[in-house]
Amino acid sequence: MPEWPDLHVVRGRLEKPLVGHEIVLVRVGDPLVLRSTRPVETFLAHQRFVAVRHRGKFLIFDLDHGRIVVNPMLAGIFELADAEAKLTRSTALSLVLDDRTDLRYRDDKRMGKVHVLDEGEDFRDVHGFDALGPDVGDFTWTDAEFADRARASRRELRNLLQDQTFLAGVGNAYADEILWEAQLHPKRRVVTLTDEEMSRFFRSIKEVIARGAREVEEGLPPKLGTKIRNHMQVRLQKGKPCPRCGTPILKTRHGLDDMYLCPRCQPPPKGQIR
């Protein structure tokens, strides 16, 4: 799933080739992912891109009249192609521009959502958008403000990190990285953290997300569609030595999600095996 660092970089890569250009052809490959109250082909044709933004896990394309809001979910991918290149089976939406650049959204899992909004429609029509908390990459809370807000919840740390109403943009991968950096077990409850641990938790969020954005920017090739994860310390590193203590990284489950951690650096809460 694209997370804040991924979409932050993709937004920057899409802005220059899109802004100012007119959509001359709209091709719908999979209407299942579309959310619109009007025919997409006619509504989007001859509109120009005004801006490209992102908010949490959403990418927003502002147009002359209205906007496109995309939640890529598990497998959504954006790419820029030549308009003459063959469309793949997973291409859900293709927007051909006046310079023959083709913005394509592909989704082989068909889980993402592409919301096409007119000027009179707002983000309340986009599920989950209005409830988003501050973006995890640029929230302005102080250490003390963060602690107060976090302690208002009695949730487990990993659940809090992935709560988009608390901070927007963290998914499975960066939740694992943040908690490893902070040396905190994912199932610790916020209320059990000492002041020092809470401060460490706060710093780890800031540092891991900032580092992730830098690494994705450096590692993402010109052709979009690659998920950059080779900078991660524990995610997808099952059985490899922890970079800090050398203990083999453990892969376990957290609800329906895979979870990676160091069993030594991140000791479990009392009464839990791991």
Side-chain angles (χ1 to χ4, degrees):
M1 177 182 292
E3 300 182 38
W4 198 92
D6 306 303
L7 289 181
H8 181 70
V9 173
V10 168
R11 185 217 66 81
R13 297 288 182 92
L14 292 177
E15 183 176 43
K16 185 175 180 180
L18 296 185
V19 171
H21 287 282
E22 179 185 349
I23 300 169
V24 298
L25 177 64
V26 179
R27 297 180 285 187
V28 176
D30 187 357
L32 181 67
V33 306
L34 297 178
R35 299 292 183 274
S36 177
T37 59
R38 61 194 49 78
V40 170
E41 294 89 341
T42 54
F43 177 72
L44 293 179
H46 307 299
Q47 293 218 49
R48 289 184 180 273
F49 286 96
V50 175
V52 183
R53 300 179 284 140
H54 79 105
R55 180 81 168 87
K57 298 180 184 180
F58 294 84
L59 199 62
I60 306 161
F61 302 90
D62 291 315
L63 308 171
D64 286 329
H65 308 288
R67 57 183 58 89
I68 304 169
V69 184
V70 184
N71 183 352
M73 296 293 284
L74 185 63
I77 291 174
F78 300 93
E79 67 177 359
L80 295 172
D82 185 279
E84 304 303 320
K86 185 178 179 181
L87 294 172
T88 64
R89 292 181 60 185
S90 63
T91 301
L93 181 65
S94 159
L95 303 177
V96 179
L97 308 185
D98 50 15
D99 64 354
R100 305 307 293 169
T101 297
D102 190 358
L103 172 64
R104 298 178 179 181
Y105 173 71
R106 295 189 287 112
D107 191 345
D108 58 5
K109 300 293 186 183
R110 307 176 79 194
M111 292 177 63
K113 301 292 182 290
V114 178
H115 299 264
V116 180
L117 306 178
D118 201 348
E119 290 176 300
E121 300 172 314
D122 59 30
F123 291 107
R124 286 178 296 181
D125 299 307
V126 180
H127 179 70
F129 194 95
D130 265 4
L132 291 174
D135 271 23
V136 70
D138 55 18
F139 69 98
T140 58
W141 301 335
T142 65
D143 192 323
E145 288 173 321
F146 172 82
D148 287 344
R149 291 173 183 268
R151 286 190 172 117
S153 167
R154 301 186 65 83
R155 308 183 72 179
E156 293 177 354
L157 293 178
R158 199 172 195 272
N159 289 339
L160 181 68
L161 280 174
Q162 294 185 272
D163 180 357
Q164 302 304 296
T165 67
F166 180 68
L167 287 172
V170 177
N172 287 317
Y174 281 94
D176 285 347
E177 293 297 299
I178 289 166
L179 292 169
W180 177 82
E181 185 78 17
Q183 301 182 58
L184 295 169
H185 193 278
K187 293 186 178 181
R188 282 279 301 276
R189 292 194 176 274
V190 179
V191 294
T192 70
L193 299 189
T194 65
D195 288 345
E196 191 279 329
E197 288 174 326
M198 182 66 77
S199 182
R200 201 164 69 217
F201 185 36
F202 172 76
R203 292 195 308 271
S204 295
I205 293 173
K206 291 280 192 179
E207 293 169 4
V208 168
I209 295 299
R211 183 166 63 242
R214 292 194 302 270
E215 293 286 349
V216 173
E217 181 63 64
E218 292 177 5
L220 187 66
K223 184 177 180 181
L224 303 178
T226 303
K227 189 180 291 185
I228 305 301
R229 292 289 185 264
N230 53 10
H231 61 285
M232 294 195 159
Q233 304 295 319
V234 292
R235 188 71 185 177
L236 306 178
Q237 304 299 315
K238 176 186 175 182
K240 295 183 180 179
C242 169
R244 188 163 43 223
C245 73
T247 303
I249 296 299
L250 179 69
K251 176 184 177 181
T252 183
R253 299 288 291 177
H254 186 267
L256 298 176
D257 301 324
D258 291 335
M259 180 171 73
Y260 296 79
L261 56 87
C262 171
R264 182 176 181 183
C265 291
Q266 299 168 265
K270 291 182 180 179
Q272 293 188 5
I273 297 175
R274 62 186 184 185

